[in-house]
Amino acid sequence: MATLRLENLSKRFSKKIWGVRKIDLEVHDKEFIVLLGPSGCGKTTTLRMIAGLAEVTTGSVLIGDRDVTEAPPRKRDVSMVFQNYAVWPHMTVYDNIAFALRLKKADKKEIDKTVIEVAEMVKIPELLKRYPRQLSGGQQQRVALARALAVKPKIFLMDEPLSNLDAKLRVIMRTELKAIHQQTKATSVFVTHDQSEAMSMADRIVIMKDGEVVQIGTPDDVYFRSANVFVAGFIGTPPTNFFNMEVESKYGLKILKHPHFSLELDEQQGRILKNYDKRKLILGARPENIILTDKDKAIFSAKVLVTEPQGSHKIIAIKLDEQIVKIVAPHKQKAAPGELLHLSFQKESLHFFDHETNWRIEQNGA
Amino acid sequence: MFKLLYSREFRQKAVPYLLIAPVLIYYALFWLYPVIQCFAGSFRDVNNKLTLYNYAFIFKDPTFYKALFNTAFIVVFSVTLEFLAAFGLALIINIKFKGSGIFLFIAMIPMALPAVAVGAIWSSGFATYGWLNSFLYYLGFIEKTAKIPFLAGGNVASMILIIIIDAWQVVPFMMIILLAGMQGLDEEAKEAGYIFGGTKFTVLRKITIPLLKPTITTALILRIISAIQIWLIIVMIYGFQRLPVLLEELVYYVDESHSMEFFRIGIAYSVIISIFVSIAAVIYLKVTGAFGKEAEETA
Ligand SMILES: Nc1ncnc2c1ncn2[C@@H]1O[C@H](COP(=O)(O)OP(=O)(O)O)[C@@H](O)[C@H]1O
Ligand SMILES: [Mg+2]
C-alpha cells in the first residue's frame, strides 16, 4: 500500500484548452479519496495522469516516494476501473481477471487462487467461464472490479464506475465497494459527479471545478464548511439556498438585510463579519436549516409553491419573489400549495460568502 | 379461398416473400440464368453437342497447371505481403502523428487508379529503357550501360514483380479497411491492457489483433478473391501466355483467340475459376462461422 502525491499537476490539451491546472493533492495510505465535480471539470484527466494514460504537461505524480511522472502505466503499480467497464470481449471472465497475473508470470495455482478470491469478493464466482457479452452491465462492472482487485495494486483508480448502473444497483454497489475497501485497504481514488455518492463513500472529497481544485476535505468539511458558493451549491440535495444580503450594524450587533426580511446575528457571528460593515455578502442556508415556526417568531413568511414528498421527509419549495427556496420538513408537515408558511433560520448553521469572490468568510474575517 | 388470403397467418407468412421477390427475380434473371447458361455451355462443343472436350483440353494443357501454380503462388504471397504491409501502415497512421492525414491521402492515390493505368505506369517503368532505370541512373545507383532488365527474369522473378506492382495498388485499399477497423476499436480496452501490465507489443498481440479479427478476415478474403482475378496488369506487362494465370488464360481463350472452339474452352475456364473462387468464399464462411460457433460453445 502506498501514498499518492500530485504536485502542481497540470494538463494542457491545446493553447486554449486546459484539462486540469495546478493540482496539489496528498492521498494518504489506505485512504479513499473521491474526486468530485461537474462533468468536464477535469476528473478523468487527473485520473489518467495518475494512471499514466495521459501525458503530464507540468508537475509530477509520486506513488510512495517514487516519481512516476514519466513511467508507463504498467510500471506504476496502479489498477483502474473504467467508466465503460472496458472488459475484453474476446476473453472469458476468468481470462480477463487473470490477464495481469499471467503477464507477471505468476504460477498457475497462485493465479487460480487469486482469481477465485477476487471473484468471490465481487460476488461473481459462478460467472468465470462466461464471456462479457453474456453478462449484464452490472455483472460486467463487477468483472472490471475483480480484474482491478486481482493485481493488488498500490493505488486503485476508479472513473465513475457506478454511473452506468441503474439507481438501485448503484446504491448497493456503493456499500459493497466501501466494504471491499475496508477489506483490502487499498489507497483509492474514485471519480464521480454524483455528490451523494461522494459523500457516502469518501474519507476525503476533492471538489473540482473548471480544472482546478476548489476544496479538499472530509464529507463534513465540505458540507458544513463549504469553501465557496460553488461547493455549498453543489453538495447536498436540495442544494443550499442563497440570499444576497446587506450588512448593517446596530448597537454593536450585525444585522443582515434582505428586501423581504432582516436577520439579526448574535455577537459571535457578528465578529466573523467585522470587516463587512455596509457591504454585501451572500448568505447560505441549507434546506434543513430553514425551519417552520410560529408567526411571531418568524423571520420571514412566504407561500408554498409545491411540495415534494420523500417518504421520510418532505421537501417544500416556497417562493420568495422570483427566487425559489427549498426547505426540508418532517413528513407529517402539512403544506398545501399557496399556503403561507412562517419560517426562521437555525442561525448557528448559516454560511456567509463574500459577494465578490464567492469564497467563504472565515472566522478571522476575510 | 378469400378467407385464407385475408387471414392474418397467411399475410404474416407471405409478406416477407413478397418483399424479397424483386431481389429474387433480379438474381434469377441476371445472375442465376447466365451462370447456368455458362455452366451448360462449357459441356458443349462448337456444334452444340454434349462433350467433355473443353475440360479435357484444359486438363491436358501444361499451361493450365502453370497457370494454376502461378495463381496459387500469387495469391499466397501477394495476400501475405499486402496484409503485413497494410497492417503496419494502418498501425502507423492510426497513431495520428502530425501530417498523418496527408500521408493517408497520398497513400490512397494508387487505389484510385484503374488497373490499366497501373499496368501502363509499371510496364513503361520496368522496360529496359523505362523510367525506373532512368531514375536509378539519375540517382547514381547504376551505370548507363548496366540497365537492369527487370522484365527478363524467370517465372518466379516475374511473379514477384507482379506481386510488387499489385501490392502497390492494393495495399492502400487493405490499409483503409484495417484502419477503419482499428478506429472502431474501444480505446479503453487497449488502455486497460496498458494498465494491467501490457507493453505496446502485448497489447497489440493480445487485445488489438483479437478484437480486429472480423476486420482482418474480411480484408483477407476480399483480397484472396481479387488476387485470384489478377490478369490485366500481367497482360499489360508481359503480354498473353508468358506468365500464365487462370484468369489471363480465360481472357486469352474468350477474347483473343477469335475461334469458337477456343471460346468454349474459355467458358470451361470460367467454370473452373468460379469453383476456385467459391472454395475461397466457402473457406471464408467457415472461418467466420467458426467465430460464431465459438460464441455458442461458451453460452
Ligand atoms: N483529448 C482531449 N483533447 C482536448 N480536450 C480534452 C481532451 N480530453 C478532455 N478534454 C477537455 O478537458 C476538460 C476535462 O475533461 P475530463 O477530464 O474528461 O472531465 P471530467 O472527467 O471531469 O468530466 C474538458 O473540458 C474536456 O473537454
Ligand atoms: Mg470523466
Side-chain angles (χ1 to χ4, degrees):
Chain A
M1 296 302 129
T3 59
L4 166 70
R5 232 165 56 232
L6 308 182
E7 287 176 356
N8 198 25
L9 194 65
S10 298
K11 174 75 181 179
R12 191 174 199 170
F13 286 112
S14 63
K15 255 196 191 121
K16 286 202 187 121
I17 304 171
W18 286 85
V20 298
R21 226 193 268 240
K22 295 192 177 161
I23 292 196
D24 280 299
L25 173 65
E26 180 151 6
V27 185
H28 308 135
D29 189 22
K30 304 188 177 89
E31 195 174 23
F32 197 102
I33 281 274
V34 174
L35 301 185
L36 172 68
S39 158
C41 72
K43 308 178 296 288
T44 297
T45 306
T46 309
L47 210 64
R48 289 170 58 84
M49 285 193 286
I50 298 172
L53 293 173
E55 245 171 78
V56 169
T57 308
T58 59
S60 34
V61 178
L62 292 95
I63 292 174
D65 281 319
R66 195 163 73 94
D67 189 329
V68 296
T69 314
E70 303 295 330
R74 74 197 138 91
K75 295 204 172 138
R76 292 189 179 202
D77 241 329
V78 300
S79 75
M80 185 157 170
V81 178
F82 293 83
Q83 182 170 358
N84 300 314
Y85 321 136
V87 293
W88 299 302
H90 59 294
M91 296 183 203
T92 61
V93 171
Y94 187 102
D95 292 341
N96 264 279
I97 300 173
F99 182 85
L101 303 170
R102 285 186 181 140
L103 287 186
K104 279 188 194 158
K105 304 256 181 327
D107 78 45
K108 238 173 142 101
K109 273 195 194 135
E110 189 66 30
I111 293 175
D112 220 41
K113 193 173 144 253
T114 311
V115 170
I116 289 169
E117 182 191 338
V118 294
E120 269 163 9
M121 213 186 273
V122 302
K123 302 183 177 157
I124 52 165
E126 72 286 0
L127 303 180
L128 288 173
K129 291 205 182 99
R130 299 229 201 143
Y131 279 86
R133 64 177 168 275
Q134 302 163 325
L135 305 179
S136 70
Q139 287 170 328
Q140 288 189 31
Q141 189 58 284
R142 285 170 192 270
V143 175
L145 204 58
R147 177 177 68 180
L149 288 167
V151 297
K152 307 212 159 63
K154 281 187 175 156
I155 311 286
F156 199 57
L157 306 171
M158 288 166 273
D159 191 358
E160 312 220 14
L162 308 183
S163 64
N164 285 341
L165 306 180
D166 65 64
K168 193 163 176 221
L169 190 56
R170 204 178 305 162
V171 177
I172 295 170
M173 287 299 286
R174 266 184 211 174
T175 317
E176 282 190 28
L177 270 181
K178 206 166 175 177
I180 288 172
H181 176 251
Q182 275 161 14
Q183 195 179 336
T184 61
K185 303 222 162 50
T187 308
S188 305
V189 181
F190 181 101
V191 162
T192 181
H193 63 266
D194 178 341
Q195 59 88 25
S196 79
E197 202 166 283
M199 294 291 278
S200 59
M201 299 185 72
D203 291 325
R204 283 189 304 152
I205 299 177
V206 178
I207 298 179
M208 296 178 66
K209 178 176 184 261
D210 301 334
E212 287 177 88
V213 170
V214 182
Q215 184 172 13
I216 302 177
T218 62
D220 279 358
D221 285 337
V222 298
Y223 191 86
F224 295 108
R225 292 171 289 281
S226 307
N228 63 13
V229 170
F230 169 76
V231 175
F234 194 67
I235 300 282
T237 41
T240 304
N241 299 293
F242 297 106
F243 305 91
N244 286 317
M245 311 296 278
E246 198 114 20
V247 183
E248 286 181 10
S249 285
K250 211 174 195 180
Y251 312 119
L253 289 179
K254 294 273 185 269
I255 297 169
L256 304 182
K257 289 269 186 192
H258 183 270
H260 283 275
F261 61 90
S262 59
L263 177 64
E264 198 170 300
L265 299 180
D266 64 27
E267 216 171 312
Q268 200 201 335
Q269 280 177 311
R271 230 172 286 139
I272 303 173
L273 304 180
K274 68 173 188 288
N275 295 335
Y276 279 80
D277 219 5
K278 305 223 155 36
R279 284 170 64 186
K280 283 184 179 172
L281 61 74
I282 297 168
L283 168 68
R286 293 207 170 269
E288 66 273 26
N289 300 135
I290 301 176
I291 46 179
L292 289 148
T293 182
D294 301 332
K295 191 175 178 186
D296 52 329
K297 288 187 198 139
I299 292 177
F300 67 99
S301 302
K303 280 184 179 160
V304 175
L305 184 66
V306 292
T307 61
E308 302 167 7
Q310 303 289 313
S312 62
H313 60 276
K314 183 178 271 172
I315 296 167
I316 304 175
I318 56 178
K319 211 164 174 201
L320 203 61
D321 267 353
E322 287 312 297
Q323 187 183 0
I324 289 170
V325 176
K326 287 198 171 178
I327 67 171
V328 171
H331 73 103
K332 281 188 200 147
Q333 180 66 45
K334 288 206 178 64
E339 190 180 329
L340 193 69
L341 292 184
H342 305 294
L343 300 153
S344 172
F345 294 104
Q346 284 178 332
K347 288 186 191 167
E348 65 283 1
S349 313
L350 295 174
H351 304 256
F352 305 110
F353 302 101
D354 186 280
H355 190 266
E356 271 79 48
T357 64
N358 282 354
W359 284 88
R360 184 180 195 83
I361 299 167
E362 295 291 352
Q363 201 72 34
N364 50 4
Chain B
M1 181 67 204
F2 282 112
K3 217 173 183 179
L4 177 73
L5 271 178
Y6 283 103
S7 80
R8 174 179 290 181
E9 197 186 357
F10 176 81
R11 269 182 293 164
Q12 275 179 349
K13 282 193 178 147
V15 165
Y17 292 102
L18 280 173
L19 290 176
I20 59 165
V23 180
L24 288 180
I25 292 168
Y26 172 85
Y27 264 96
L29 232 55
F30 294 100
W31 190 83
L32 202 56
Y33 177 72
V35 165
I36 291 171
Q37 279 292 307
C38 169
F39 187 75
S42 73
F43 290 100
R44 287 179 193 280
D45 69 8
V46 190
N47 303 316
N48 244 351
K49 275 225 244 28
L50 272 180
T51 174
L52 285 174
Y53 169 77
N54 300 324
Y55 288 99
F57 179 93
I58 291 173
F59 291 129
K60 268 190 237 154
D61 178 9
T63 314
F64 168 72
Y65 295 99
K66 240 194 207 168
L68 195 60
F69 172 80
N70 290 350
T71 306
F73 187 96
I74 289 176
V75 167
V76 170
F77 285 95
S78 82
V79 172
T80 311
L81 180 88
E82 286 162 7
F83 173 74
L84 292 178
F87 195 78
L89 280 174
L91 279 177
I92 292 170
I93 290 182
N94 198 31
I95 298 170
K96 296 193 190 70
F97 53 92
K98 243 196 173 131
S100 61
I102 295 168
F103 184 63
L104 180 63
F105 176 73
I106 293 172
M108 277 167 60
I109 292 175
M111 193 174 94
L113 296 177
V116 186
V118 175
I121 289 173
W122 289 101
S123 67
S124 66
F126 281 125
T128 311
Y129 290 95
W131 54 262
L132 199 60
N133 267 325
S134 312
F135 188 59
L136 290 175
Y137 169 71
Y138 176 78
L139 290 179
F141 286 123
I142 55 171
E143 294 291 315
K144 197 160 198 148
T145 49
K147 299 230 152 118
I148 303 169
F150 290 107
L151 301 177
N155 199 42
V156 170
S158 312
M159 277 196 287
I160 289 172
L161 211 63
I162 292 298
I163 286 171
I164 291 170
I165 295 170
D166 180 60
W168 181 79
Q169 189 188 17
V170 159
V171 164
F173 166 77
M174 209 150 169
M175 181 197 69
I176 299 279
I177 294 182
L178 293 171
L179 188 63
M182 282 177 195
Q183 290 178 343
L185 289 188
D186 177 16
E187 203 56 32
E188 278 191 353
K190 272 188 266 170
E191 289 178 346
Y194 294 124
I195 293 275
F196 293 104
T199 57
K200 286 221 159 78
F201 181 68
T202 346
V203 170
L204 180 67
R205 200 163 57 88
K206 299 214 160 179
I207 295 166
T208 310
I209 292 180
L211 289 180
L212 266 183
K213 232 174 189 166
T215 311
I216 292 174
T217 330
T218 307
L220 283 181
I221 289 307
L222 287 176
R223 268 317 292 154
I224 287 172
I225 290 174
S226 68
I228 295 176
Q229 301 173 358
I230 296 174
W231 70 278
L232 189 53
I233 298 173
I234 295 178
V235 171
M236 292 206 53
I237 291 176
Y238 293 111
F240 280 105
Q241 295 222 307
R242 157 104 188 270
L243 181 66
V245 295
L246 290 176
L247 206 71
E248 171 260 354
E249 290 301 295
L250 162 67
V251 176
Y252 174 74
Y253 282 109
V254 169
D255 240 28
E256 297 295 311
S257 54
H258 305 294
S259 100
M260 204 53 195
E261 182 196 340
F262 279 2
F263 181 77
R264 292 285 173 190
I265 290 168
I267 287 180
Y269 253 112
S270 75
V271 171
I272 293 171
I273 292 170
S274 307
I275 289 168
F276 281 128
V277 175
S278 306
I279 290 172
V282 167
I283 292 173
Y284 166 66
L285 291 178
K286 269 260 152 45
V287 173
T288 46
F291 287 121
K293 213 182 269 168
E294 181 186 38
E296 274 165 36
E297 274 164 15
T298 57

